[in-house]
Amino acid sequence: MTEGKTGKSDRYPLTGDFLAGRLRQHFGEDDLSYIEGLVETVDHHEDGEQLIARGDITHRSTILVEGFIFRTITRDDKRFIVGVHIPGDFVDLHGFALKRLDHNLVAAGRIEVGCVSHDSLRKVLQDRPNIARAMWFATLLDAAIHRKWIQILEQLDAPRRIAHLYAELHHRFDLIGRQMNRALRTPFTQLDLADMCGVSAIHANRAVGKLRETGIAEIRRGDLYTDDWDKLKQFACFDPDYLYGDGPLLLREGWE
């Protein structure tokens, strides 16, 4: 099987989506094989299962192969979802430097993950500077997404926050070559949407109803349906620049 835009192939079944649509096309076969070989074990987790708890000491990092992962913080019995990951994301690379996380990693639906030991990541720093820089880029991309989430919480009302969430996911899936036409399917519950957008479940329900009333989109059991993604993105004030789909421009500054 030849490698397509996603990078998925028989050769790279676990890491083929890593930085697809950004830097991946500039890796040679040797680097791609090296990245695939970093995965030492493959785990499966069910919906709601916690991969890492806040404060736990960690000795490995996780790349998401299939499914969705939430970053969550719980305080006074209230859950806050502060990030969502899709296939190809190296979810907790920053745990290599920090050794513990200030949040939880939780499966959203059934997931498949690949695990990379921190000893292996230490060798990447020593022996593969291009790969190490790409991983640094991935952690900086996570930070850019987090900043955007903070901005939309301050700037947008609840219907637009929910629309922005799906617009972002649509663009991120497109970058890894998983095009969503009329429907974007997720395992998200209405409570998940509320906890991602910083509103109550009742407020989230009203926001979902507002989206339906506008005719822009309809959300049923976590799946968003729309006939016009451009219109949805315009409604959400979505600008994809923060997702760095032009990542390869870094090459002009001397990537090699």
Side-chain angles (χ1 to χ4, degrees):
M1 182 185 296
T2 59
E3 184 174 332
K5 180 181 177 182
T6 66
K8 284 287 190 180
S9 69
D10 292 338
R11 290 172 297 171
Y12 314 118
L14 303 175
T15 63
D17 286 328
F18 178 59
L19 292 180
R22 295 184 175 97
L23 301 176
R24 186 175 182 84
Q25 61 268 37
H26 295 281
F27 285 128
E29 291 293 330
D30 182 59
D31 281 340
L32 294 175
S33 296
Y34 185 92
I35 293 170
E36 183 76 11
L38 289 172
V39 177
E40 297 158 354
T41 59
V42 176
D43 294 339
H44 295 86
H45 299 274
E46 300 300 323
D47 181 42
E49 194 173 337
Q50 192 165 260
L51 284 71
I52 300 176
R54 178 180 182 180
D56 284 354
I57 301 299
T58 179
H59 300 286
R60 66 182 191 178
S61 291
T62 304
I63 186 167
L64 182 55
V65 179
E66 292 293 341
F68 295 84
I69 288 177
F70 288 148
R71 297 182 188 271
T72 71
I73 296 174
T74 304
R75 181 164 183 166
D76 298 330
D77 296 324
K78 170 64 177 175
R79 181 187 66 163
F80 303 88
I81 298 177
V82 296
V84 59
H85 287 280
I86 70 169
D89 288 355
F90 233 125
V91 180
D92 53 346
L93 274 174
H94 54 295
F96 170 62
L98 298 174
K99 301 310 296 180
R100 60 183 174 86
L101 305 184
D102 59 357
H103 55 279
N104 312 303
L105 297 181
V106 182
R110 193 172 192 275
I111 65 169
E112 180 181 3
V113 297
C115 302
V116 180
S117 72
H118 288 175
D119 285 341
S120 293
L121 292 179
R122 195 170 293 110
K123 292 178 181 177
V124 171
L125 290 178
Q126 296 170 351
D127 302 335
R128 298 279 182 153
N130 279 353
I131 296 175
R133 186 172 174 182
M135 290 181 174
W136 183 23
F137 172 85
T139 62
L140 295 175
L141 178 61
D142 286 343
I145 294 173
H146 291 162
R147 287 191 294 273
K148 177 57 69 172
W149 278 42
I150 293 170
Q151 179 191 350
I152 66 171
L153 284 174
E154 294 290 333
Q155 182 182 15
L156 303 181
D157 60 16
R160 286 178 170 81
R161 291 180 205 173
I162 292 174
H164 196 282
L165 168 68
Y166 281 96
E168 176 187 286
L169 289 173
H170 181 264
H171 193 80
R172 289 167 69 182
F173 274 111
D174 186 61
L175 284 171
I176 65 172
R178 301 193 186 194
Q179 295 180 346
M180 308 291 174
N181 295 321
R182 183 173 180 269
L184 197 165
R185 303 189 184 281
T186 79
F188 305 159
T189 66
Q190 202 143 278
L191 182 58
D192 292 336
L193 295 179
D195 291 349
M196 279 187 269
C197 296
V199 298
S200 68
I202 293 175
H203 200 170
N205 182 53
R206 291 173 180 165
V208 168
K210 178 67 173 178
L211 279 176
R212 183 174 59 251
E213 290 169 10
T214 62
I216 294 173
E218 183 175 0
I219 298 173
R220 301 196 299 267
R221 296 184 178 180
D223 299 337
L224 182 139
Y225 299 88
T226 181
D227 292 321
D228 193 336
W229 278 104
D230 289 338
K231 188 175 181 179
L232 175 74
K233 291 175 180 180
Q234 183 178 15
F235 175 79
C237 306
F238 177 74
D239 181 342
D241 282 355
Y242 70 100
L243 295 174
Y244 287 89
D246 59 355
L249 291 176
L250 291 170
L251 294 172
R252 299 178 185 177
E253 303 299 326
W255 178 270
E256 298 298 338

